[in-house]
Amino acid sequence: MRLWSDMQSWQKRLGETLRVSVYARFLLISGTIVLGMMTILALFVSSHVKAVSISSTAQTDAFYMTAFVAPLVQDISDDTLLPADTIAQLDRLMHIATVDNDVEMARIWRRDGTILYSTDKASIGTKADLSGAEIAFRGDVIGHVEHVSDDVGRHFGARGMPLFEVYAPLHSLETGAVIAVGEFYKNAQPLLDQISSANTTIWSTTASVSVMMMGMLFLLARRSNRIIVEQRDRLKRRAAKASALARQNEKLRGQSDLAKLQAIKANEDLLTDIGSTLHDGPIQSLALLVLKLSTVGTDKRRIVEDCADSVRLASGVVHDLRDMATGLVLPELEDLAVDEVVRLAVDRHETLTGTGATLDIGPLPAQLPSAYKICIFRVIQESLNNAFQHAGGAERQVSADWSDEGISIVISNGPARGVPREHAPPRQAPGLGVTGLRRRLRALGGSLSVATVPGSGTVVTATLPVDPRMMESVPAHFGRNTEVRVQPLGRQDNLDPVPGA
Ligand SMILES: Nc1ncnc2c1ncn2[C@@H]1O[C@H](COP(=O)(O)OP(=O)(O)OP(=O)(O)O)[C@@H](O)[C@H]1O
Ligand SMILES: [Mg+2]
């Protein structure tokens, strides 16, 4: 398991290092494995073939030895050597063997290590080391290839020639017991050539089979790789599609959440607008109407005039409510220039309350979206009403100007005059006027400040930034410090402010 993971990591590292293709990596690894396995197989087969060749050759040669030599040495005894005629017969036999069978040298050993016969006549009767022939005395044939050693080689002068050495047991024909061991050397070159030829066949066959196996593996791997690549591409495409759908879903969910929030906000804004419009229009007029009715005196002429004013106020309320019903906007502002909106707000106040205000109009944009004009109108209207209600007959000034910061509307009044009205309508809830103005201005990016200094009066400052793109032009004929009074609803000089209201 560990070996496999080591191989995998090794393969990965090798692949990254060489930056080779998947086929090359596969060929490299599978080729190494196949070649390794086939080499082991070829080595095993060739060594087996070599062993079998040597063994079968040794058996064949041993058969010759036992068949022809054994009958000649049946009379071996422990204390005598072979008779001369036996040695002569053996010499003839060995001569034939040399000619027919390439035998280079032969010896016959007695169990005690005495050499009974040798093609090297000088060694007959001597004793030598028997360790090589021990197995043969136990009844087995031994054969092996060796290069000529010095002591053997000097007898036939074939130094350097590969020799095949065989030890063969010589059995008693009566008892079957091993009575001697025959040893002979023959030229091993034919055997070695045979083994070499077999090896060549084994290795070339192994190489051919390996190449075929690698080819088939490569084809199999290429086909598998193609299938894997196709599946991976298909999966990638599906994953991309799924993630695109997920993103789209997420976006749609976000848009849906946003739409919900916007719907809630739009609803809130609408309610706020309606509340502000109700407050700034009908409620203001009704409050003034209540104030006026609560100050009706005993003078008949005054009563008639107050009644006429009240009717006018009530008509104004009806007019405002009708406007609300037809779109919650002030329709008469649509066609007015910005400076005319300022004048109308001051003039309307004068008409309703009978008290005027000093007007100071600086340069102003000729046109603005109606939301801006309504906002300017409401700021002046509410601030003048507050001055009328909360500061009695104090002097009022309205100024409008336009600079880089935007349009600036300032409504100021002096210190409150008179005493609070006894019949002023009781307040049920905190005032909404200033709060509503702030909300209107904030909706358009503007701001409002109300500063009341006891003993000196109140200053209301509204700032409304305007984008130059939304205006058409700035009229050149508007001068500064111009006091303008217009009367779209009729002039009411006798409408006194209500002290302490
Ligand atoms: N010009 C002013 N002079 C003195 N006090 C003022 C002036 N303007 C506003 N105030 C004070 O600020 C308070 C808040 O004014 P706001 O217009 O919000 O409410 P309101 O006029 O009392 O009621 P509403 O406008 O809802 O009829 C007033 O109650 C008043 O005390
Ligand atoms: Mg008010």
Side-chain angles (χ1 to χ4, degrees):
M1 207 57 195
R2 190 193 160 93
L3 179 70
W4 177 244
S5 67
D6 284 352
M7 276 180 67
Q8 279 183 323
S9 69
W10 176 79
Q11 176 191 356
K12 199 174 165 191
R13 258 181 282 138
L14 185 71
E16 281 168 3
T17 311
L18 298 177
R19 294 192 180 283
V20 291
S21 71
V22 65
Y23 301 128
R25 250 187 291 166
F26 176 78
L27 270 183
L28 199 68
I29 301 305
S30 63
T32 307
I33 293 171
V34 167
L35 282 180
M37 303 295 275
M38 294 308 280
T39 303
I40 292 169
L41 181 68
L43 283 172
F44 172 76
V45 172
S46 83
S47 77
H48 188 67
V49 165
K50 184 180 176 185
V52 168
S53 299
I54 289 172
S55 171
S56 63
T57 307
Q59 292 290 347
T60 307
D61 292 343
F63 175 76
Y64 176 85
M65 178 71 84
T66 52
F68 296 101
V69 175
L72 299 177
V73 295
Q74 290 299 310
D75 299 330
I76 286 176
S77 65
D78 290 345
D79 49 358
T80 57
L81 295 176
L82 289 174
D85 61 322
T86 303
I87 288 178
Q89 283 181 13
L90 285 171
D91 280 343
R92 280 197 295 278
L93 210 56
M94 286 307 151
H95 178 72
I96 296 168
T98 302
V99 174
D100 291 354
N101 220 6
D102 229 6
V103 172
E104 301 287 342
M105 178 187 171
R107 286 191 287 208
I108 295 174
W109 297 79
R110 200 163 59 190
R111 191 177 286 276
D112 62 356
T114 305
I115 298 173
L116 296 176
Y117 171 79
S118 175
T119 46
D120 177 18
K121 298 294 182 245
S123 61
I124 292 175
T126 60
K127 282 193 174 184
D129 180 22
L130 245 186
S131 57
E134 266 178 15
I135 296 175
F137 274 109
R138 289 201 293 268
D140 293 326
V141 175
I142 311 159
H144 56 265
V145 178
E146 65 175 24
H147 284 269
V148 179
S149 59
D150 288 344
D151 60 328
V152 176
R154 70 172 175 270
H155 295 294
F156 50 86
R159 184 178 295 275
M161 176 190 291
L163 288 178
F164 184 51
E165 182 184 20
V166 179
Y167 288 96
L170 300 174
H171 298 273
S172 162
L173 296 177
E174 288 178 10
T175 62
V178 179
I179 53 174
V181 165
E183 176 193 13
F184 61 92
Y185 294 86
K186 57 184 278 188
N187 186 4
Q189 198 55 54
L191 176 63
L192 291 179
D193 289 345
Q194 189 186 339
I195 291 171
S196 170
S197 164
N199 279 344
T200 306
T201 308
I202 288 167
W203 284 102
S204 60
T205 308
T206 304
S208 307
V209 171
S210 301
V211 168
M212 279 193 290
M213 280 172 69
M214 283 171 60
M216 281 191 293
L217 279 174
F218 178 73
L219 289 176
L220 201 67
R222 198 170 66 166
R223 184 169 160 68
S224 305
N225 186 63
R226 199 178 300 151
I227 291 169
I228 289 168
V229 167
E230 278 172 14
Q231 296 282 0
R232 193 177 52 198
D233 288 351
R234 205 172 296 152
L235 279 175
K236 264 188 195 168
R237 281 199 297 276
R238 278 190 198 160
K241 209 182 278 179
S243 71
L245 277 174
R247 273 201 304 277
Q248 203 173 344
N249 276 347
E250 193 61 33
K251 202 172 160 189
L252 287 173
R253 197 178 305 125
Q255 285 175 349
S256 148
D257 290 347
L258 191 65
K260 266 189 235 160
L261 287 175
Q262 283 174 343
I264 293 169
K265 188 171 181 311
N267 196 33
E268 289 298 320
D269 287 350
L270 180 65
L271 291 174
T272 305
D273 275 356
I274 292 171
S276 294
T277 309
L278 276 172
H279 170 273
D280 295 347
I283 292 175
Q284 292 295 324
S285 300
L286 285 172
L288 287 174
L289 181 61
V290 171
L291 281 173
K292 195 162 280 294
L293 290 176
S294 64
T295 58
V296 174
T298 53
D299 180 24
K300 283 186 180 174
R301 184 174 154 270
R302 183 72 183 270
I303 291 171
V304 171
E305 285 175 357
D306 281 352
C307 280
D309 288 342
S310 300
V311 167
R312 203 172 290 119
L313 274 171
S315 304
V317 173
V318 171
H319 184 259
D320 282 351
L321 287 172
R322 191 177 293 120
D323 285 348
M324 280 184 64
T326 56
L328 297 171
V329 293
L330 295 168
E332 69 263 53
L333 303 185
E334 289 285 340
D335 302 325
L336 298 183
V338 178
D339 64 305
E340 288 172 336
V341 169
V342 175
R343 288 167 209 275
L344 178 64
V346 174
D347 210 61
R348 180 74 69 85
H349 178 75
E350 191 174 348
T351 302
L352 293 174
T353 64
T355 57
T358 308
L359 185 57
D360 177 10
I361 299 183
L364 286 173
Q367 270 303 333
L368 283 174
S370 58
Y372 283 73
K373 291 194 281 189
I374 291 169
C375 182
I376 290 168
F377 184 88
R378 293 304 191 194
V379 166
I380 297 170
Q381 181 192 41
E382 172 64 18
S383 301
L384 286 177
N385 282 349
N386 277 350
F388 181 75
Q389 284 185 330
H390 304 302
E395 290 296 321
R396 274 149 268 166
Q397 295 86 36
V398 176
S399 68
D401 206 350
W402 179 34
S403 66
D404 289 343
E405 280 77 42
I407 292 171
S408 166
I409 311 284
V410 180
I411 304 101
S412 58
N413 61 266
R417 283 198 220 143
V419 291
R421 291 178 56 82
E422 288 174 6
H423 303 291
R427 297 303 305 265
Q428 300 293 328
L432 296 173
V434 172
T435 310
L437 292 185
R438 281 215 169 89
R439 198 175 289 134
R440 278 180 187 278
L441 284 158
R442 208 183 304 130
L444 299 175
S447 61
L448 183 84
S449 78
V450 180
T452 301
V453 178
S456 66
T458 299
V459 179
V460 177
T461 307
T463 309
L464 189 58
V466 290
D467 187 339
R469 283 174 296 183
M470 69 171 101
M471 47 190 100
E472 291 171 7
S473 65
V474 179
H477 63 276
F478 290 133
R480 296 180 69 87
N481 301 318
T482 309
E483 191 172 2
V484 184
R485 287 172 185 270
V486 289
Q487 279 186 286
L489 295 178
R491 188 182 174 89
Q492 295 296 314
D493 289 331
N494 56 351
L495 199 62
D496 291 334
V498 181

